[in-house]
Amino acid sequence: MSSRLHRFLGASIFVAGLALGGPVEAQEAPTGPASEGASQSPVISLTSIEQMLGADMAKVAQIARNTWSTVLIGDQKNPVVTVGTVAGGIVLLGLAYLAASMISRWLAAKLLSRFGLSKSGVAPLQSLTFYMLLALFTMVSLNVLHVPLTVFSFFGGALAIGAGFGSQNIVNNFISGLILLVERPIRVGDVIELDGMTGTVAAIGARSTKIATGVNHEIIVPNSKLLETSVVNWTLSDDIVACNVDVGVAYGSPTREVERLLLQAARQHAHVLKEPASDVILADFGADSLQFKLRVWVNLRATRRVQVESDLRFAIDELFNGRGIVMAYPQRDVHLNVMRPVEVRLAEPQRQTKAA
């Protein structure tokens, strides 16, 4: 980590030197005693470049250096922003982004290993650290390039107008992302349900949140939607949730035996928790069956609720078949009550004769 930071600082100093360097002066190399003092000057003469690179390369270097020193904001006496300043700023901002990303990831890894924090607890700290470091490195880059903040006063006003019109959704999603990171109603690793879809929060970004479903699909949801709509967070305060399995058996079945078999199926499952204990409820006397409900408790961090419910249905079907208990299905009995016998006639099909 320290070597990467050293390389970052070295590259920053190099680019800053290029951005701050003065133009090449087309002057003759000084002779005599003053040549010793001139040799210490950072200004490189055009004659020296011609001697080292040749006349053609020296002209190319002169054109490149003049372009580098072209003033964009200010004047020749007091240049504020030059082409070299813009190029150096782009390089420094890129290095700042890489440095902020590496430092925030390093800090998150240290917190995970040393303090034993969960990934959902470290993720918002990593994101906030990245944003703060990026802002800090941006200010340092502007300071190194001697760019005053007053230059951005006009751009700040234009940005404010753009944020109020064209960039309203982007700013809204960004602020919503900060609210999600600070208040943490939804965290990385939480199992949530949104618009009938259930998935695990994979990442919370500056503009959107990534949700991974159980069928290897990733859903990109704008951050503002997570705050404006109703979201079911199954793991907000606790990872333990209930699973319900509805079972209908035929009338005349031994109800206590049905209860025992349902509890046995729950005890045999490896992911069903012993505490809270599973229970069976005779929910209703339905039109076609006795309605039982098996309720078990599982840890969503360790398994999937849908998979546990499916396993329980397989186990219940096997146990019921072994005990001769029939699962009811819809059926109807039709009774005919008439006062006299029903008259039945058999009619021969009519034959069609061809016209003569």
Side-chain angles (χ1 to χ4, degrees):
M1 184 67 189
S2 60
S3 61
R4 293 182 179 179
L5 291 178
H6 291 164
R7 289 197 296 268
F8 164 71
L9 293 176
S12 302
I13 295 173
F14 173 74
V15 174
L18 290 177
L20 297 176
V24 177
E25 296 182 358
Q27 61 182 9
E28 297 293 335
T31 59
S35 60
E36 297 179 357
S39 62
Q40 299 177 358
S41 175
V43 179
I44 302 175
S45 65
L46 182 59
T47 304
S48 300
I49 296 178
E50 290 179 355
Q51 293 175 355
M52 291 184 296
L53 303 178
D56 294 337
M57 293 298 297
K59 292 180 180 179
V60 173
Q62 178 68 20
I63 294 174
R65 196 57 183 258
N66 291 338
T67 304
W68 183 270
S69 304
T70 302
V71 178
L72 299 178
I73 299 178
D75 50 24
Q76 294 293 337
K77 295 182 179 180
N78 297 315
V80 178
V81 177
T82 63
V83 174
T85 304
V86 174
I90 293 174
V91 175
L92 288 179
L93 288 178
L95 295 175
Y97 180 88
L98 295 177
S101 178
M102 289 188 298
I103 294 175
S104 60
R105 285 199 301 265
W106 174 82
L107 179 62
K110 286 295 182 181
L111 291 177
L112 281 174
S113 60
R114 180 166 298 182
F115 297 99
L117 298 178
S118 61
K119 291 184 179 181
S120 61
V122 173
L125 180 61
Q126 178 181 350
S127 299
L128 292 176
T129 303
F130 170 76
Y131 293 139
M132 289 188 294
L133 288 177
L134 184 60
L136 176 62
F137 290 156
T138 301
M139 299 297 294
V140 172
S141 300
L142 295 176
N143 189 23
V144 169
L145 297 173
H146 299 290
V147 177
L149 296 180
T150 55
V151 176
F152 300 97
S153 59
F154 172 77
F155 298 101
L159 180 62
I161 296 176
F165 293 97
S167 304
Q168 182 177 2
N169 291 333
I170 297 177
V171 175
N172 186 20
N173 289 323
F174 179 76
I175 296 177
S176 300
L178 294 179
I179 295 175
L180 291 176
L181 292 175
V182 174
E183 291 189 359
R184 304 181 66 194
I186 297 175
R187 303 158 299 184
V188 175
D190 283 351
V191 179
I192 65 173
E193 182 177 348
L194 177 65
D195 295 337
M197 298 177 295
T198 303
T200 303
V201 178
I204 300 176
R207 188 191 66 84
S208 60
T209 297
K210 183 188 299 182
I211 302 175
T213 64
V215 292
N216 200 24
H217 290 171
E218 291 182 341
I219 305 172
I220 307 301
V221 181
N223 292 330
S224 58
K225 185 175 182 180
L226 297 176
L227 297 179
E228 295 172 355
T229 59
S230 299
V231 180
V232 179
N233 192 340
W234 293 93
T235 56
L236 178 59
S237 58
D238 198 351
D239 299 338
I240 299 175
V241 298
C243 298
N244 296 320
V245 178
D246 296 327
V247 181
V249 299
Y251 276 97
S253 302
T255 55
R256 292 300 178 184
E257 181 68 10
V258 172
E259 179 186 17
R260 187 185 67 82
L261 294 177
L262 292 177
L263 293 176
Q264 180 180 346
R267 287 192 299 267
Q268 292 176 353
H269 200 284
H271 291 291
V272 173
L273 302 178
K274 296 181 179 180
E275 291 294 336
S278 305
D279 58 346
V280 176
I281 299 173
L282 179 56
D284 193 11
F285 295 100
D288 304 307
S289 62
L290 298 172
Q291 299 293 331
F292 286 86
K293 179 176 292 186
L294 171 63
R295 181 169 56 192
V296 299
W297 300 86
V298 297
N299 190 331
L300 285 184
R301 302 288 185 183
T303 185
R304 292 188 302 139
R305 183 168 58 97
V306 176
Q307 186 62 46
V308 172
E309 293 176 353
S310 176
D311 295 340
L312 290 175
R313 291 188 180 96
F314 279 114
I316 291 171
D317 182 67
E318 293 178 359
L319 292 175
F320 280 11
N321 289 334
R323 297 298 189 275
I325 298 177
V326 179
M327 292 188 185
Y329 53 88
Q331 56 185 348
R332 293 291 182 269
D333 295 334
V334 179
H335 300 276
L336 296 177
N337 186 10
V338 294
M339 300 301 296
R340 60 181 181 179
V342 178
E343 182 179 357
V344 179
R345 293 181 180 181
L346 297 178
E348 294 182 359
Q350 297 179 357
R351 296 179 180 179
Q352 295 180 358
T353 59
K354 296 182 179 181

